[in-house]
Amino acid sequence: MEIDFGSLIPVAAIMAGVAFAWIGLKHKELKLRARTLEREAGEQDEEKRKLLARLAVLERIATDRGVQTAEQIEALRDQPRVPANEKVGTI
């Protein structure tokens, strides 16, 4: 029994074409997925930046020594005023 390899050439060509088409489709699919992931990463970076800014404000509020600042202001009010043309702290 003799096998005619000549008739397998068109079948191989068709299968190669299908393989190339499938590879091209996968390539496009991966490029689209990469763009989607980049966009999502950018959105997450922006959200992270906003959250960090809000956290910084909350940290300032939590660590603000407003009571001590108010006491210092009141203590300064109780001191005698120095005229503007007089130098303070000079001997």
Side-chain angles (χ1 to χ4, degrees):
M1 182 167 175
E2 192 176 311
I3 298 176
D4 183 18
F5 289 107
S7 62
L8 293 178
I9 291 175
V11 172
I14 291 171
M15 292 190 66
V18 169
F20 281 124
W22 183 79
I23 290 170
L25 181 62
K26 284 296 180 182
H27 183 261
K28 287 181 183 179
E29 181 182 327
L30 290 174
K31 282 174 61 175
L32 178 62
R33 181 73 178 139
R35 275 189 263 148
T36 302
L37 290 174
E38 286 174 0
R39 183 176 35 85
E40 288 174 0
E43 291 171 358
Q44 288 176 356
D45 285 345
E46 178 66 20
E47 184 177 349
K48 179 182 173 184
R49 187 190 62 75
K50 288 178 182 178
L51 289 173
L52 288 174
R54 291 178 69 187
L55 179 62
V57 170
L58 292 174
E59 286 175 342
R60 275 191 309 233
I61 291 170
T63 59
D64 182 26
R65 299 179 346 181
V67 173
Q68 290 178 353
T69 304
E71 289 173 356
Q72 290 173 355
I73 292 171
E74 291 301 320
L76 290 172
R77 287 184 183 159
D78 294 340
Q79 293 179 358
R81 290 186 175 219
V82 178
N85 59 357
E86 223 177 282
K87 291 186 178 180
V88 178
T90 59
I91 300 177

